[in-house]
Amino acid sequence: MFPERIQEKIVPFPEVVSLRQKLQSEKIVFTNGCFDLVHVGHIQYLARARQLGDFLWLGLNSDISVRQLKGETRPIHTEEDRAILLAAFYFVDAVTIFSQNTPIELLSKVRPQLHVKGGDYIAEELPEYDIVVKNGGTVEVLPFLPGKSSTSVIERIQTLS
């Protein structure tokens, strides 16, 4: 249904270690999130993250973990739809869905040189900080594009209803 190149970018959890081994000489940048309603802020963030390395690996929260993090009305799009949408971007090289509330288990397998988060986080306070550093990587926080968030899109839709 979708081009093979898009489908190939979606890496099932059991295949993560195999792909990681093939990328030994690449600088892997990893990020993660729900990406429920993709907007220009996401695009700017992901494109910027990709510029920081050779390979952008995106950990995508599963539907179950999105519900736990965002509430029963989310996600709006299924994990499969979100994975395809994100894999379609030329600057995203791999997408892996994970079911935990944090990407710690996935990060322990990907072992990126750089883990990027967006927003106003403090790198050292992220639950995944220790596993990234333990594996020789660094953590960087990129600023959000002001006024651009899934929550603000949802709020705008609700005011129009």
Side-chain angles (χ1 to χ4, degrees):
M1 175 148 111
F2 293 97
E4 190 174 323
R5 176 65 185 123
I6 292 173
Q7 298 283 1
E8 289 172 351
K9 288 180 172 185
I10 301 171
V11 181
F13 205 92
E15 296 176 21
V16 167
V17 172
S18 175
L19 176 58
R20 177 60 178 98
Q21 290 171 342
K22 294 175 185 173
L23 299 171
Q24 289 299 323
S25 63
E26 305 285 330
K27 180 179 180 183
I28 298 172
V29 178
F30 180 92
T31 192
N32 66 282
C34 300
F35 299 95
D36 192 13
L37 285 176
V38 176
H39 51 76
V40 71
H42 286 132
I43 294 169
Q44 180 196 51
Y45 166 72
L46 293 171
R48 175 71 182 115
R50 177 59 172 80
Q51 291 174 337
L52 299 174
D54 302 315
F55 192 94
L56 179 59
W57 200 319
L58 192 148
L60 183 64
N61 287 81
S62 69
D63 291 348
I64 292 169
S65 66
V66 173
R67 269 191 292 285
Q68 291 171 344
L69 294 167
K70 305 280 185 178
E72 286 301 313
T73 61
R74 304 276 294 273
I76 292 169
H77 296 289
T78 67
E79 61 193 44
E80 293 85 6
D81 288 352
R82 291 181 288 126
I84 289 167
L85 179 66
L86 292 162
F89 290 126
Y90 73 89
F91 40 78
V92 173
D93 298 296
V95 176
T96 300
I97 298 168
F98 67 97
S99 296
Q100 302 76 20
N101 287 344
T102 70
I104 292 172
E105 185 179 351
L106 180 55
L107 278 163
S108 71
K109 296 179 183 321
V110 173
R111 294 179 288 113
Q113 288 85 349
L114 179 60
H115 175 48
V116 177
K117 290 294 288 183
D120 55 0
Y121 293 103
I122 297 171
E124 295 79 12
E125 293 179 5
L126 291 166
E128 60 266 28
Y129 179 83
D130 289 341
I131 192 70
V132 173
V133 172
K134 176 184 166 199
N135 286 320
T138 58
V139 178
E140 185 173 337
V141 177
L142 300 179
F144 275 147
L145 192 59
K148 305 295 181 186
S149 70
S150 296
T151 301
S152 66
V153 171
I154 292 168
E155 288 171 355
R156 173 127 171 85
I157 292 168
Q158 289 171 336
T159 62
L160 296 173
S161 300

